[in-house]
Amino acid sequence: MKATITVLPGDGIGPEVTAQAVRVLEKIGGKHDHDFTFQEALMGGIAIDKTGNPLPDETLKACEQSSAILLGAVGGPQWSDPTAPVRPEQGLLGLRKHFDLFANLRPVKAYPALAQHTPLRAELLDGVDMLFVRELTGGIYFGPRQEQGDGLSAYDTELYTVPEVERVAQVAFRAAQGRRRKLTSVDKANVLASMRLWRRTVVKVHEDYADVELDHVLVDACTMYLMTRPAAFDVILASNMFGDILSDEASVLAGSLGMLPSASLGAGTFGLYEPVHGSAPDIAGQGKANPTGTILSAAMLLRYSLGLEAEARAVETALEQTLAAGARTADIAPRGGSFVSTGEFAGDVLARL
Ligand code: NAD
């Protein structure tokens, strides 16, 4: 297959981790006779420094002409003034908006070898393998809001429409069909009208996916279950704010922020793939970054934008074998133990591919 992938390395450790994911994509592409073209473009703080714009037109054009985007991370102390008119994260929000990327997919897996890096007992982590599907472009983060002039009150609005819930629910049901066929929809239907609409709509969409088992969990209970029985979850569907909070809570199950990938998808196959972590300025340029989140994001790109399931699995398997064999970057190394560099870790994954 022929595909063009736009790489947006961004800031901090972004260039270090995307370089390793590109090596992995080149290797798997070569092995399976795919013709992958990579084009790099500016986004985030580096784009502000070079062009004054966190998302230059040229970058947007490059993304429009590609099958998918692989992104590192954006931001850093030099661009952190909250009153600045242009900020690195505007580039990321601009991309999500431009391509209407309404579904954010975040898999969370617990690796037995990393159990000591989590606050949970090892036996609770056994079999933890869940996928969050978070609504990304609606809800309270985008609803009508106001801070009253007297400074004594303010409001934000949780507003959802049926089509907004339908389209993200469809993504979640389809994802469940490719996994263990279990979907947990999170809401607060006992209190919020918007969440009663959410539940009603998910139940309706379920009619088209009868092979998937659906259950509903209130968000407060869900926070507990994520810690007390995390292995029971398969796909978790949640609104923008609930998904934001719950997926961060669940990220501790993976042992390090550096382990987690994500995909942001719209109506078609086009997607934006990036690790969950930020630009980690504290370790940038030192070869200490864990490239796992970005390599697993590249696997998601193969799966969701290019439809290459076998290739995606091959990457995931190579990565799991690398961890099982004991390779560790600094963030997942035992206290005082030895660790390998970003490039060495990825080299180990390549060797296993
Ligand atoms: P961060 O995720 O960059 O770092 C948090 C901690 O985790 C740091 O100690 C860091 O060293 C460590 N870490 C993160 N990724 C790692 C990896 N791959 N390997 C090993 N260790 C890793 O979060 P932060 O420090 O709050 O933010 C730093 C900058 O990143 C800020 O400017 C923030 O705005 C930005 N940020 C960007 C994104 C994004 O681009 N999507 C997301 C979050 C934060």
Side-chain angles (χ1 to χ4, degrees):
M1 112 165 319
K2 226 172 134 88
T4 299
I5 296 160
T6 298
V7 182
L8 307 176
D11 309 315
I13 60 169
E16 298 166 54
V17 290
T18 47
Q20 303 311 324
V22 167
R23 282 174 78 196
V24 168
L25 286 171
E26 277 172 342
K27 172 97 186 211
I28 195 92
K31 253 193 91 177
H32 292 259
D33 282 334
H34 301 306
D35 182 4
F36 295 158
T37 305
F38 299 91
Q39 49 183 22
E40 251 189 43
L42 295 172
M43 214 274 283
I46 189 172
I48 295 177
D49 287 353
K50 295 207 167 151
T51 71
N53 180 355
L55 183 59
D57 289 346
E58 216 171 282
T59 297
L60 212 46
K61 241 178 243 141
C63 293
E64 279 169 353
Q65 286 158 7
S66 57
S67 304
I69 303 170
L70 182 70
L71 171 77
V74 297
Q78 60 271 57
W79 308 283
S80 64
D81 175 4
T83 59
V86 282
R87 294 172 48 80
E89 62 272 18
Q90 288 166 348
L92 191 51
L93 294 174
L95 277 175
R96 286 179 186 163
K97 200 167 165 204
H98 183 80
F99 291 103
D100 200 10
L101 302 172
F102 58 82
N104 184 232
L105 275 59
R106 274 199 199 188
V108 177
K109 214 169 168 167
Y111 298 91
L114 304 186
Q116 73 201 74
H117 290 271
T118 81
L120 293 200
R121 293 194 307 276
E123 70 261 27
L124 282 174
L125 297 170
D126 199 21
V128 167
D129 180 1
M130 64 183 90
L131 173 71
F132 281 90
V133 179
R134 166 190 170 196
E135 201 288 326
L136 199 59
T137 52
I140 196 164
Y141 293 172
F142 293 92
R145 69 191 54 199
Q146 199 167 353
E147 206 156 320
Q148 307 299 31
D150 59 7
L152 295 177
S153 64
Y155 67 82
D156 302 277
T157 316
E158 175 83 330
L159 174 67
Y160 269 114
T161 64
V162 167
E164 278 175 328
V165 182
E166 273 173 354
R167 63 184 188 173
V168 73
Q170 282 157 356
V171 171
F173 277 112
R174 282 200 297 270
Q177 283 179 324
R179 295 173 48 102
R180 303 196 303 277
R181 296 177 188 266
K182 265 193 69 183
L183 178 69
T184 303
S185 173
V186 179
D187 61 41
K188 188 73 184 168
N190 53 339
V191 179
L192 302 174
S194 55
M195 290 290 102
R196 283 194 282 277
L197 177 135
W198 178 278
R199 190 179 288 205
R200 233 180 18 245
T201 308
V202 172
V203 167
K204 187 96 186 91
V205 174
H206 185 214
E207 289 172 9
D208 295 333
Y209 301 89
D211 55 335
V212 176
E213 185 192 326
L214 170 68
D215 68 342
H216 307 273
V217 176
L218 296 174
V219 64
D220 32 359
C222 193
T223 61
M224 278 191 307
Y225 298 148
L226 279 173
M227 294 296 117
T228 55
R229 49 176 179 86
F233 291 106
D234 182 12
V235 178
I236 301 178
L237 169 65
S239 64
N240 202 340
M241 181 166 68
F242 291 166
D244 189 8
I245 297 167
L246 293 174
S247 62
D248 263 28
E249 183 196 2
S251 71
V252 303
L253 303 167
S256 164
L257 206 47
M259 299 294 296
L260 296 161
S262 80
S264 299
L265 305 175
T269 57
F270 183 84
L272 166 70
Y273 301 85
E274 56 173 329
V276 165
H277 63 74
S279 59
D282 53 330
I283 56 164
Q286 300 171 27
K288 279 190 183 163
N290 184 346
T292 299
T294 318
I295 292 172
L296 291 176
S297 299
M300 293 182 86
L301 185 158
L302 292 167
R303 171 172 296 123
Y304 294 109
S305 282
L306 307 187
L308 301 174
E309 178 63 31
E311 287 83 340
R313 286 215 177 169
V315 171
E316 288 161 353
T317 304
L319 201 128
E320 273 170 35
Q321 288 171 346
T322 299
L323 285 170
R328 297 285 183 270
T329 44
D331 56 317
I332 50 173
R335 210 175 278 261
S338 61
F339 54 85
V340 298
S341 71
T342 310
E344 284 165 342
F345 184 90
D348 208 334
V349 177
L350 287 179
R352 285 167 204 285
L353 271 178

